[in-house]
């Protein structure tokens, strides 16, 4: 069984307008690299200088990966990944 | 153009006044593709700051799940500025990631938590480009 990734509106154009895509990997970093092979440009929107971008939230099975180990977070078959841009700003 | 009911405008301004001097933030969801703001969802400003707002990451996930379940999208994303004009800041623009949304800004700098004049403006923010739009208030 694969790992399902749910993409936000703003990233769908990079993934053939798909809302959900499948990936593989034992860590989040590997899962993102797997996606990048099919959808070039996606990784750059998620990762910057080897770390998750500040503006993006990624969840594995409803847990924020910032509390799971970031890009080193472990994955298993059947896991569900959600990607959501942060809603934030300031004056 | 943003078309929005008086009731929803009042709800946004009320929230901005309540949270003054911190920034208030929230979403008005509407049916996908309708461009019609209907469901008022005030959010907690996890930053609790007069200079910054951010939806809590777990609240954000729940919000998007709920909208998905109802086939809704964020038609309006609003927040307040408490001591500057109601215009997107550089930070607002850097974070803006819903190209189809109306970004509403309210400024409470004039009267704070009290009744009185306020600014209420709406913008689209696409690829870092801010465009102000007219606001039509429906009865």
């Amino acid at each position: 069984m694969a790992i399902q990734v749910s993409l936000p509106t703003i990233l769908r154009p990079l993934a053939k307008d798909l809302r959900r895509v499948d990936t593989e990997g034992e860590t989040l970093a590997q899962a993102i690299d797997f996606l990048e092979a099919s959808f070039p440009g996606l990784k750059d929107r998620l990762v910057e200088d080897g770390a998750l971008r500040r503006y993006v939230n990624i969840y594995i099975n409803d847990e924020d990966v910032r509390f799971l180990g970031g890009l080193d977070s472990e994955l298993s078959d059947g896991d569900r990944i959600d990607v959501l841009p942060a809603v934030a700003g300031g004056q | 153009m943003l078309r929005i009911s008086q009731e929803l405008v009042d709800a946004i301004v009320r929230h901005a006044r309540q949270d003054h001097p911190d920034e208030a933030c929230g979403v008005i969801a509407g049916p996908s593709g309708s461009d019609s703001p209907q469901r008022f969802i005030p959010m907690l400003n996890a930053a609790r700051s007069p200079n910054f707002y951010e939806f809590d990451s777990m609240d954000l996930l729940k919000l998007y799940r709920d909208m998905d379940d109802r086939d809704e999208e964020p038609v309006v994303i609003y927040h307040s500025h408490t001591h500057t004009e109601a215009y997107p800041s550089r930070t607002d623009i850097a974070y803006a990631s819903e190209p189809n949304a109306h970004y509403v800004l309210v400024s409470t700098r004039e009267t704070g938590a009290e009744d009185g004049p306020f600014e209420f403006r709406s913008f689209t923010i696409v690829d870092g480009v801010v465009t102000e739009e007219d606001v039509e208030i429906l009865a």
Side-chain angles (χ1 to χ4, degrees):
Chain A
M1 201 162 42
I3 295 162
Q4 194 179 63
V5 185
S6 162
L7 294 173
T9 311
I10 197 164
L11 295 183
R12 289 175 201 161
L14 290 170
K16 302 184 172 115
D17 283 324
L18 292 168
R19 177 187 194 118
R20 292 199 169 80
V21 295
D22 284 344
T23 189
E24 292 177 13
E26 291 176 6
T27 64
L28 181 59
Q30 288 176 10
I32 291 173
D33 285 339
F34 185 91
L35 286 180
E36 176 69 14
S38 307
F39 309 117
L42 196 54
K43 179 176 179 175
D44 182 58
R45 304 295 294 275
L46 305 176
V47 178
E48 181 181 41
D49 298 331
L52 288 172
R53 281 188 180 274
R54 169 76 179 87
Y55 298 168
V56 178
N57 292 332
I58 300 181
Y59 309 85
I60 297 173
N61 300 331
D62 296 358
E63 290 205 58
D64 189 331
V65 299
R66 289 195 180 90
F67 305 111
L68 294 175
L71 285 168
D72 297 326
S73 302
E74 293 180 4
L75 289 167
S76 312
D77 276 356
D79 281 352
R80 171 179 179 169
I81 298 176
D82 284 272
V83 180
L84 287 176
V87 180
Q91 54 196 325
Chain B
M1 175 187 304
L2 170 64
R3 290 187 175 81
I4 184 171
S5 71
Q6 182 70 55
E7 192 183 344
L8 288 170
V9 171
D10 292 346
I12 291 174
V13 173
R14 201 177 312 125
H15 185 200
R17 293 211 192 284
Q18 265 168 14
D19 284 13
H20 187 93
D22 288 347
E23 293 194 17
C25 54
V27 162
I28 304 178
S32 291
S34 70
D35 201 33
S36 168
Q38 296 183 2
R39 189 164 68 92
F40 178 66
I41 311 163
M43 301 291 290
L44 190 73
N45 177 3
R48 287 193 183 78
S49 161
N51 302 308
F52 193 74
Y53 80 96
E54 180 166 23
F55 293 6
D56 171 78
S57 77
M58 294 319 295
D59 291 350
L60 180 75
L61 180 63
K62 183 177 178 304
L63 169 71
Y64 273 81
R65 284 277 167 77
D66 285 352
M67 289 193 294
D68 253 10
D69 290 347
R70 296 161 179 254
D71 197 22
E72 290 174 339
E73 58 190 7
V75 179
V76 167
I77 298 173
Y78 73 85
H79 76 282
S80 64
H81 284 175
T82 56
H83 53 270
T84 58
E85 68 171 332
Y87 191 88
S89 66
R90 276 197 309 186
T91 318
D92 294 335
I93 297 164
Y95 273 96
S97 51
E98 288 288 357
N100 302 321
H102 304 271
Y103 283 87
V104 163
L105 278 102
V106 172
S107 177
T108 52
R109 64 176 166 174
E110 241 186 291
T111 53
E114 306 303 321
D115 287 343
F118 58 87
E119 295 167 64
F120 185 104
R121 296 164 73 181
S122 183
F123 307 85
T124 58
I125 307 177
V126 181
D127 293 333
V129 178
V130 176
T131 309
E132 183 156 15
E133 57 183 3
D134 289 335
V135 177
E136 185 185 345
I137 297 178
L138 310 167

